[in-house]
Amino acid sequence: MPKEKILCVVGARPNFMKIAPVMKALHGSNVLSPYLVHTGQHYDAAMKHAFFEQLGIPEPDEDLGVGSASHALQTAEIMRRFEPILERERPVAILVVGDVNSTIACALVAAKRDVPVIHVEAGLRSYDRRMPEEVNRVLTDQISDLLFTTEREAEDNLRREGVDPGRVHFVGNVMIDTLLGHLPRKVPAETTLAGAGAETGFAAEGYALLTLHRPANVDDPATLEGLLRTLRDLAENLPLVFPVHPRTEGKIREAGLQALLEHPRILLTPPQGYLEMLGLMAEARLVLTDSGGIQEETTALGVPCITLRENTERPITVTQGTNTIVGSDAGLIREAFDDVLASGGKAGRVPELWDGKAAQRIVQTLEAWRAEDA
Ligand code: UD1
């Protein structure tokens, strides 16, 4: 029997570490075979190629090359370019991951063409509809046929929204599959720091790792300036390593705030590859971030994380992991920072099923689902 095709979609950086183990597990299946479409939402070498290479993701079968635009234009363009591929390839289902614009755009095209949608990392909710990702999550889950969750609370969120529990499968966290699989190959922080031009001994006293890219933090010049001033103050106590997302770089430049980051204890770097970032996270004394994925990765690594957001869609990182939510208030950031330096931060534990086998469980479930259909 020929294998049945599952069309897998990726678009932006946080998708790549989620699709990698799923692709690998699908390649090992006797009944299913993956076909990979990259929408091109992220396209810079530092935002794409480094990840495909390091994570061993095969080159996409199709690259839609959409690039950057407003949300409406980007989403529409992905839909326009994706539909003919779906029509031509006729997969038995499409599989989308996470919550970026590519996720909802392709899910919507498939749902309208009656192609089943599989959503990996379903049911996460920040309950903050001002976040573009929250809109993407809620809508994608509503039109998905199979929903794979990373934590038990996600099942409750989905039930509240009327999603049939029979469609929901708690399988664990594919991003942690990737983390555990690649940890032995992480690039030592010292190597990355030296490569980024740090003075020898920059990190001798340890460092805090910072990432920042959410519109809520970087789009408004006053909010961005307040945050950068607070972070610059923290650097007096602990050197700061800051790989700058292209979006954030643009906003800092537009707001004329570059000088705030010119400080001997702040190291700015371009976006890092996956293995470099893994090393930087694993060896940091603490991480300051507004990323979703990094909250989970630091929990898995047992590294204290201070989240520069008002809420999180990943509450398990707070209740069980090493995460503390502080928002953008200078006083709260300082308090959490001082607490980690004084106490070493929350010990935390690794959540249920974050064990490196989530992708295997997903593929087993998909195989059983196809067998039911046959
Ligand atoms: C997207 C996701 C966000 C995710 C983030 C991780 C949505 C709504 N947002 O946000 O959930 O956390 O990716 O990185 O899908 N740019 C480049 N090169 C690139 C990509 C982007 O320079 O390869 C710049 C462009 O100026 C672009 C801006 O970054 O306009 C924003 O890119 P976009 O894909 O719209 O959203 P992100 O902020 O990256």
Side-chain angles (χ1 to χ4, degrees):
M1 272 246 301
K3 292 188 189 181
E4 293 187 311
K5 193 182 292 177
I6 304 274
L7 198 155
C8 300
V9 175
V10 289
R13 187 170 62 176
N15 291 165
F16 303 144
M17 36 288 218
K18 293 170 195 164
I19 210 71
V22 175
M23 289 292 292
K24 194 166 161 213
L26 280 172
H27 274 299
S29 168
N30 292 325
V31 290
L32 301 170
S33 86
Y35 181 91
L36 184 62
V37 175
H38 175 40
T39 65
Q41 179 176 345
H42 283 175
Y43 44 87
D44 282 351
M47 300 296 282
K48 187 222 159 198
H49 298 289
F51 287 80
F52 272 67
E53 239 176 71
Q54 292 184 343
L55 300 177
I57 306 171
E59 266 308 297
D61 296 290
E62 201 77 48
D63 188 335
L64 306 182
V66 294
S68 304
S70 71
H71 283 264
L73 279 182
Q74 188 176 60
T75 309
E77 198 54 32
I78 296 168
M79 291 178 71
R80 199 175 70 78
R81 297 189 194 190
F82 183 65
E83 188 170 41
I85 313 291
L86 195 63
E87 175 79 351
R88 189 189 70 211
E89 295 302 324
R90 304 201 168 275
V92 291
I94 78 155
L95 181 147
V96 295
V97 296
D99 54 17
V100 303
N101 286 344
S102 303
T103 309
I104 177 63
C106 296
L108 191 49
V109 172
K112 292 285 183 87
R113 296 199 77 99
D114 210 19
V115 176
V117 176
I118 303 158
H119 187 203
V120 174
E121 201 189 78
L124 296 181
R125 295 291 180 268
S126 66
Y127 291 98
D128 177 358
R129 293 269 171 109
R130 289 166 308 175
M131 263 182 102
E133 294 79 5
E134 182 74 353
V135 176
N136 294 345
R137 289 180 202 118
V138 171
L139 297 181
T140 304
D141 286 339
Q142 279 297 324
I143 55 175
S144 290
D145 298 84
L146 277 173
L147 300 94
F148 291 110
T149 58
T150 54
E151 54 176 275
R152 292 206 180 268
E153 206 159 311
E155 295 175 81
D156 301 335
N157 294 334
L158 291 167
R159 199 170 305 120
R160 272 197 290 275
E161 290 171 14
V163 175
D164 172 4
R167 297 178 171 195
V168 181
H169 301 265
F170 171 45
V171 288
N173 194 327
V174 286
M175 212 177 52
I176 305 306
D177 290 6
T178 296
L179 182 138
L180 296 175
H182 289 80
L183 209 46
R185 293 200 294 124
K186 72 180 159 61
V187 175
E190 204 184 340
T191 311
T192 307
L193 296 177
E199 312 260 327
T200 320
F202 179 86
E205 60 178 293
Y207 59 89
L209 178 68
L210 167 68
T211 82
L212 205 60
H213 77 284
R214 293 254 157 249
N217 282 332
V218 306
D219 282 8
D220 171 45
T223 309
L224 180 59
E225 179 173 352
L227 263 174
L228 294 183
R229 284 192 188 282
T230 306
L231 294 162
R232 184 187 161 104
D233 283 349
L234 302 185
E236 299 291 346
N237 296 82
L238 191 63
L240 204 59
V241 177
F242 182 14
V244 188
H245 188 287
R247 172 193 187 89
T248 309
E249 193 192 4
K251 298 290 178 190
I252 292 173
R253 209 174 335 102
E254 276 169 35
L257 296 172
Q258 297 96 317
L260 273 182
L261 294 169
E262 284 163 16
H263 188 288
R265 288 165 69 82
I266 300 180
L267 179 70
L268 302 178
T269 80
Q272 293 296 316
Y274 183 76
L275 298 175
E276 288 79 5
M277 201 60 188
L278 208 47
L280 285 174
M281 279 193 285
E283 293 176 46
R285 282 186 55 195
L286 66 106
V287 175
L288 295 142
T289 191
D290 61 5
S291 151
I294 290 177
Q295 295 172 55
E296 295 185 340
E297 288 166 338
T298 46
T299 276
L301 291 167
V303 173
C305 180
I306 298 175
T307 294
L308 307 172
R309 284 174 45 187
E310 306 296 335
N311 49 51
T312 181
E313 63 286 344
R314 300 161 207 267
I316 205 166
T317 61
V318 177
T319 53
Q320 296 187 17
T322 58
N323 193 14
T324 307
I325 306 290
V326 295
S328 55
D329 177 81
L332 292 176
I333 297 173
R334 180 89 229 179
E335 199 180 308
F337 177 86
D338 288 344
D339 182 61
V340 171
L341 288 197
S343 72
K346 290 157 84 169
R349 64 187 153 94
V350 178
E352 186 183 3
L353 298 190
W354 290 20
D355 58 358
K357 298 183 181 142
Q360 282 175 36
R361 291 187 197 101
I362 287 173
V363 171
Q364 278 162 10
T365 310
L366 292 180
E367 289 177 347
W369 171 66
R370 292 312 301 154
E372 270 169 35
D373 227 39

